[in-house]
Amino acid sequence: MDKYRVKPGSKVNLKKWDPDDRSEFDLSKEERDEALYPLNRKLETLQELLYAEGKHKILIVFQAMDAGGKDGTIRQVFEGANPQGVKVASFKKPTHKELSHDYLWRVHKHTPANGEIAIFNRSHYEDVLVVRVEDLVSKKVWKKRYEHINNFEKMLADEGTTILKFYLNISKDEQKERFEERLDKKEKNWKFSLGDLEVRKKWNNYMKAYEDMLEKTSTKYAPWYIIPSNRKWYRNLVIASIIIDKLEKLKMEFPEPQDDLSGVRIT
Ligand code: ATP
Ligand code: MG
């Protein structure tokens, strides 16, 4: 899966990252539906271990264009995880109060504590994406943010946070199909807004902003992964595998009991 990691300092041209790639799992239709289940169970066990051990903090960031699949990924990859140890933070348009602080203020309080997994559905990266493309602050201001963000994430990593960042890479055609489904199905209408079409018109500007973000903020301590996401089943398998691999490398163990339990009998 390392081929999806953006190597620190490398150039990123998103045209060269195939959103339809499925080279890691070439599965039949029947196999696809079954394949995620064992990974969900593994993740469930690792998360319980993380919670019980209480030594590590995990931060997982998801960024994508509209309809890129952030919600679905979170729902499907973390299916079965214990809600006590997994917190999802969704970052929407900042409130007046949030805007009156620095842009990391609202983010920091959602970072994980020991034993927790924090999942960011959008993140501080919006402050170099939508904010840049829509000219919400001047270039002079947003240009400095890549360095702030790297420093912020370095601090989190130094303090014991394992950070994984996923860009869900869909094509413009795939977005069209997903928007059409949101329009056609009454129960999906709520996910669609006319503003999404305005953003879609600026697709190329967004791609440029994403490329810069991926180049400037993929670090050893907080790597970006570009996930082929046109196929939802493939996206889920790749992301679940990367997270499992990272958690396994932490070599976690269930804690020793506080008391000597040998010979204890429950009467
Ligand atoms: P979906 O992908 O399913 O449409 P969503 O994450 O887009 O879900 P919405 O409520 O539709 O959810 O959108 C949230 C909006 O908030 C996005 O348009 C995003 O760009 C915007 N946003 C997030 N952070 C910021 C920020 N710091 N400044 C300005 N806008 C932001
Ligand atoms: Mg949206």
Side-chain angles (χ1 to χ4, degrees):
M1 302 294 158
D2 202 48
K3 67 181 184 200
Y4 298 127
R5 185 170 59 89
V6 178
K7 313 294 177 289
S10 64
K11 286 270 155 220
V12 176
N13 177 355
L14 282 170
K15 289 205 180 79
K16 292 193 181 151
W17 291 77
D18 179 10
D20 279 304
D21 178 40
R22 51 176 207 188
S23 52
E24 291 292 326
F25 301 94
D26 203 5
L27 304 181
S28 69
K29 269 211 163 58
E30 300 72 46
E31 288 170 323
R32 283 171 207 171
D33 297 336
E34 313 277 309
L36 189 60
Y37 185 79
L39 299 186
N40 281 148
R41 301 291 70 77
K42 218 177 208 174
L43 203 52
E44 187 180 350
T45 309
L46 282 162
Q47 189 246 321
E48 195 189 348
L49 188 53
L50 179 93
Y51 187 73
E53 197 195 45
K55 281 190 185 163
H56 297 277
K57 315 163 174 69
I58 313 292
L59 172 60
I60 301 177
V61 172
F62 289 104
Q63 282 292 157
M65 293 296 282
D66 285 309
K70 299 182 302 299
D71 293 356
T73 305
I74 294 168
R75 201 173 56 244
Q76 290 151 26
V77 169
F78 293 93
E79 191 272 311
N82 180 355
Q84 284 215 89
V86 181
K87 313 234 146 92
V88 182
S90 294
F91 293 94
K92 309 276 181 190
K93 280 199 180 67
T95 61
H96 281 298
K97 185 169 167 56
E98 286 168 344
L99 278 176
S100 70
H101 288 268
D102 68 85
Y103 66 99
L104 292 175
W105 179 80
R106 69 169 180 162
V107 175
H108 199 170
K109 57 176 170 251
H110 292 289
T111 56
N114 279 337
E116 283 178 3
I117 299 180
I119 301 171
F120 283 5
N121 182 344
R122 301 188 187 267
S123 64
H124 42 301
Y125 285 100
E126 292 293 323
D127 292 282
V128 291
L129 293 166
V130 62
V131 167
R132 165 180 169 167
V133 175
E134 306 297 338
D135 270 326
L136 302 180
V137 301
S138 69
K139 183 170 182 182
K140 191 163 170 272
V141 172
W142 60 253
K143 270 197 94 158
K144 295 189 179 144
R145 292 183 170 174
Y146 302 101
E147 195 184 340
H148 303 156
I149 290 173
N150 286 340
N151 288 335
F152 172 61
E153 291 179 353
K154 178 77 166 63
M155 183 279 288
L156 296 177
D158 287 345
E159 294 288 320
T161 309
T162 298
I163 306 172
L164 292 171
K165 302 182 295 200
F166 297 105
Y167 168 58
L168 309 181
N169 186 26
I170 59 162
S171 62
K172 200 174 174 192
D173 287 344
E174 179 67 23
Q175 189 194 50
K176 180 167 187 268
E177 278 182 33
R178 293 185 188 183
F179 276 174
E180 281 167 354
E181 198 188 342
R182 287 179 179 191
L183 270 177
D184 292 347
K185 290 196 179 152
K186 213 164 170 24
E187 68 281 8
K188 290 210 171 182
N189 280 176
W190 66 276
K191 280 197 160 211
F192 189 76
S193 73
L194 293 177
D196 293 350
L197 296 178
E198 295 309 309
V199 172
R200 180 175 164 79
K201 281 184 196 154
K202 298 177 189 157
W203 182 272
N204 292 341
N205 297 351
Y206 274 94
M207 289 305 108
K208 179 77 189 80
Y210 267 107
E211 286 173 344
D212 272 357
M213 174 199 84
L214 293 161
E215 281 177 12
K216 292 184 202 299
T217 62
S218 192
T219 56
K220 197 161 176 285
Y221 50 86
W224 274 109
Y225 292 83
I226 300 176
I227 306 296
S229 298
N230 275 3
R231 295 183 169 86
K232 294 172 183 169
W233 62 271
Y234 187 80
R235 168 202 78 197
N236 291 343
L237 292 176
V238 171
I239 292 174
S241 304
I242 292 171
I243 297 172
I244 288 168
D245 184 56
K246 247 318 197 257
L247 291 179
E248 282 178 340
K249 287 205 173 101
L250 295 177
K251 301 265 175 276
M252 296 180 288
E253 282 178 24
F254 283 107
E256 291 295 322
Q258 293 159 17
D259 303 310
D260 180 7
L261 302 183
S262 53
V264 173
R265 290 181 64 117
I266 315 291
T267 54

